[in-house]
Amino acid sequence: MQLDMTKGKPMPVILRFTVPLMIGNMFQQLYNMADTIIVGRYVGADALAAVGSTGTIMFLITGFSQGITSGFSIRVSQRYGARDDQAVRHSVGNGIVLSVLISLLLTFLCLVSMHPLLTLMNTPENIFAAAYTYITAISIGIAANIFYNLFSAYLRAVGNSQVPLFFLVFSACLNIVLDLLFIVRFRMGVAGAAWATNLAQAISAVLCGLYIWLRVPDLKPSLRQFRPSRAVTYQQLAAGIPMAFQFAITASGTMIMQSAINLFGSEAVAAFTASGKLMNLLTQGMVAMGQTMATYGGQNYGCGNVKRIKSGVRAALIADSIYSVSMAVLIFLLLRPCLGLFFSGDVDISAMLPWAKTYCYLCIVFYVPLCTIYIFRNIMQGCGYSFLPMMGGVAELIARLVVSVTAMKFLSYPMACAADPAAWVAAAVFTGVSYRYVIRKIERDAVQQTKEHKTLH
């Protein structure tokens, strides 16, 4: 099931790897939607708003986890592309040790900071207690999130996107079953939704780890390869920390935006949450293309094929632009019928619809710039350049901050919704220019290495 992305025409290779990732990402969003749908229909609109008000904090936690673990896997993909089996296994073992330490630290930091963070975000009083209960329970399950992402990233690094898809589908189905059990049968409320997510991720992480240990010898370290290496630790943290902070910076911007949305009350928060879940589901193809380009870039950079990196980026831009326009049309058509899925019959959908339309219709116009961010950001990260993608996150943060603060000052909901498109345009311009700089640097370095090689021989 491993895919060598250094061979074959770029477009078919990229799509072959991307499609399973897209399906898996959509299933992940589906079980996140299942939380909100079941909470909204069986606990109430205020409970849905409570879960939704923590969505940006959830994005911060999961994004940091994905970023740091993806960074740990970059060295794996580069060494795999260079056919260095021992370095691959050592990188796996070193990354596992680092992930244990990071899980403990991140869990502690989240638990002590949640109450003041929710206060800072203007969380409405009528949903504050439920929001705190939900996000605290999620924080306890951070280790499961990190290790599922780590093992999945390792498999993708060697070209295997099918097995992570299987475990993600399994996790999604299990999460829905546990949601119904904890929320409907045991009446655990929003806490039930959080614990269903934690348990589903923990089981999937264990199964994914067992699969690697039993079936993927290329990723199975020996006991001595679990011993931390200063050089490998430096390389993995040098890649992982900027990627994690890139997610954290982006999440900080969305938290500021959520603070602006919260000012308009629980009805606006509930509608914003429901429409946001739908948009997150249908934009997962962009996320999957970004994940693909990280692996594609890592493998081809590892074998020194710069020309193939450039042709892969062109193919990804064509495919993702077509996908973006298609999803924009789909959201325009599906918003009204899908919105009703999130609420019980006693909720007035017509009152929710204007809030949801304002956000969605502003966003879909800017889907093409959004898709380019994932491609440029991840191809640079796959080639080992993490600083400029992180600064792209800073561009997003500044744009969201300016627009969100303006929205809070003038109490303008449309302005608050415009924070996302403003961030996407800023980051698209920055990462596009950065990619051109990075690819030219890689080309110059390749030419210099060729000259030195000829001189030595």
Side-chain angles (χ1 to χ4, degrees), residues 42 159 170 173 220 223 254 335 396:
Y42 290 98
F170 169 79
C173 295
K220 182 181 177 180
L223 288 177
T254 59
L335 178 59
E396 281 189 65

Side-chain angles (χ1 to χ4, degrees), residues 52-57 59-60 117-123 247-264 269 272 393-409 412-413 415-420 423:
S53 69
T54 67
T56 53
I57 304 176
F59 177 69
L60 172 62
L117 188 56
L118 289 172
T119 302
L120 187 63
M121 289 177 62
N122 303 316
T123 305
F247 275 103
I249 291 166
T250 301
S252 298
T254 59
M255 287 164 67
I256 295 167
M257 178 182 171
Q258 183 72 56
S259 300
I261 299 293
N262 288 347
L263 291 175
F264 298 92
V269 173
F272 175 80
V394 173
E396 281 189 65
L397 174 62
I398 293 171
R400 276 201 181 91
L401 177 62
V402 170
V403 176
S404 296
V405 169
T406 304
M408 286 188 273
K409 181 176 180 179
S412 169
Y413 179 76
M415 179 68 73
C417 293
D420 267 349

